Amino acid sequence: MDVVNQLVATGQFTIIKQPLGFMKILQWIFAIFAFSTCGSYSGMFKMSVECKNRSESDLSIEVEFEYPFRLHQVYFDAPTCKGESPERLFLIGDYSSSAEFFVTVGVFSFLYSMAALSVYVFILEKYRQGCKGAQIDFVVTSVFTFFWLVASSAWAKGLSDVKAATDPDKVLLLIEACDEPENRCREVHDPVVSGLNTSVAFGFLNLILWGGNLWFVFKETGWMAAFGGTYAPSQEKAPAPESFGQEGYGQEGYAQQGDAYAGTQGGYQPDYGQGGYTEGGGDYQQGGYEQQPTSFANQM
């Protein structure tokens, strides 16, 4: 219990309220519904063959079939109405490939949704660090979206074939006794395939969920900024100007720039050379004219 409490304390369950986490919960739930409604199915239909000789009739021929719908292995015994022992007949078709692929995609979608949801809750910082986790998530989500499209379409076609192969009216055509007009053949009970219809519906709902979730995962990858032109890759630092790199600030480099600036400006241009000011003579020369100090006594 301590480990569970620690995990709950460190988990970021607010991600569940966001589209990224909420969509994963829906994917997890609908994946369970998809593979369970298909993988747990078992059905039965019933027929009757009434022969001219009533003692040879069989009014309750039950045929049971189930996932993975290898119907060519499903058999039943039907009367011949000729005084002979009943003949053994097999259904037609093997639709296990589409059914098993559909269930496999559903199971792996369930497992991946649970794993991704755990990452969102407990290590969301590592998931978003460097966008590597989000980019892997986007690729995997794209693959599952494609798989759901293929699996749902294939299973929808396979279910249509299963319904046709288990239609009692068509199965009665396999019985030779039903070709005779004096014998009466009819269906008693049709198979209930509402659960299989539901599995197909859940398959296409998963396709919509996984396809819609691509947008929310794509926003975490950082590719949107790159496509929008706002992503600036790291560049090398530009070298410093030579005037600041070799001779220092305020020495020759600065003096050369000052001279260039002085040459482009008109009017009064001060000269900050070292020879302009002498302590002994008191002369202060500036820009080509000479300024003599004025005594304080003369001003008075």
Side-chain angles (χ1 to χ4, degrees), residues 36-299:
S36 62
T37 52
C38 179
S40 62
Y41 177 82
S42 62
M44 181 270 296
F45 62 93
K46 187 181 294 187
M47 305 172 296
S48 71
V49 178
E50 186 177 352
C51 301
K52 183 178 181 181
N53 184 3
R54 299 295 179 88
S55 62
E56 298 179 3
S57 301
D58 190 348
L59 303 180
S60 180
I61 303 175
E62 294 185 358
V63 182
E64 297 181 353
F65 61 99
E66 60 184 4
Y67 173 86
F69 308 105
R70 293 187 177 95
L71 300 183
H72 66 288
Q73 298 178 358
V74 178
Y75 62 88
F76 62 95
D77 295 329
T80 60
C81 298
K82 296 179 180 180
E84 302 175 356
S85 59
E87 61 176 345
R88 175 159 293 183
L89 301 174
F90 289 83
L91 298 182
I92 299 174
D94 181 7
Y95 310 101
S96 59
S97 58
S98 59
E100 289 176 340
F101 180 65
F102 181 82
V103 171
T104 301
V105 172
V107 171
F108 279 99
S109 297
F110 161 75
L111 295 175
Y112 179 75
S113 298
M114 185 169 56
L117 192 60
S118 301
V119 171
Y120 295 164
V121 172
F122 298 109
I123 52 174
L124 185 61
E125 294 81 4
K126 293 184 179 179
Y127 171 82
R128 289 175 171 170
Q129 184 178 2
C131 299
K132 294 290 186 180
Q135 293 171 2
I136 296 174
D137 190 14
F138 179 80
V139 173
V140 176
T141 303
S142 302
V143 172
F144 271 108
T145 302
F146 175 74
F147 280 170
W148 273 117
L149 174 62
V150 176
S152 300
S153 302
W155 173 229
K157 176 62 171 61
L159 177 57
S160 177
D161 295 337
V162 169
K163 290 179 180 179
T166 56
D167 185 1
D169 290 333
K170 294 184 178 180
V171 176
L172 288 173
L173 299 177
L174 302 176
I175 303 175
E176 293 183 3
C178 296
D179 296 336
E180 301 296 332
E182 63 268 14
N183 301 324
R184 182 182 177 187
C185 302
R186 64 185 180 88
E187 65 175 85
V188 177
H189 186 272
D190 286 326
V192 179
V193 293
S194 57
L196 297 180
N197 294 331
T198 305
S199 67
V200 174
F202 280 126
F204 284 104
L205 283 175
N206 275 283
L207 171 63
I208 295 173
L209 287 174
W210 286 83
N213 193 37
L214 283 173
W215 168 248
F216 300 108
V217 179
F218 178 75
K219 290 167 63 177
E220 301 288 335
T221 59
W223 292 333
M224 181 184 295
F227 293 154
T230 59
Y231 176 74
S234 59
Q235 298 178 352
E236 295 184 359
K237 201 180 220 180
E242 296 182 357
S243 58
F244 294 95
Q246 297 179 356
E247 294 153 343
Y249 184 85
Q251 295 180 1
E252 287 187 18
Y254 181 78
Q256 293 176 1
Q257 291 182 355
D259 293 341
Y261 177 78
T264 59
Q265 301 292 329
Y268 171 68
Q269 302 294 337
D271 184 9
Y272 296 102
Q274 294 181 358
Y277 175 73
T278 59
E279 295 181 358
D283 295 336
Y284 181 77
Q285 296 182 357
Q286 195 173 19
Y289 77 93
E290 191 174 301
Q291 181 179 1
Q292 297 295 335
T294 306
S295 65
F296 181 77
N298 293 334
Q299 291 181 0

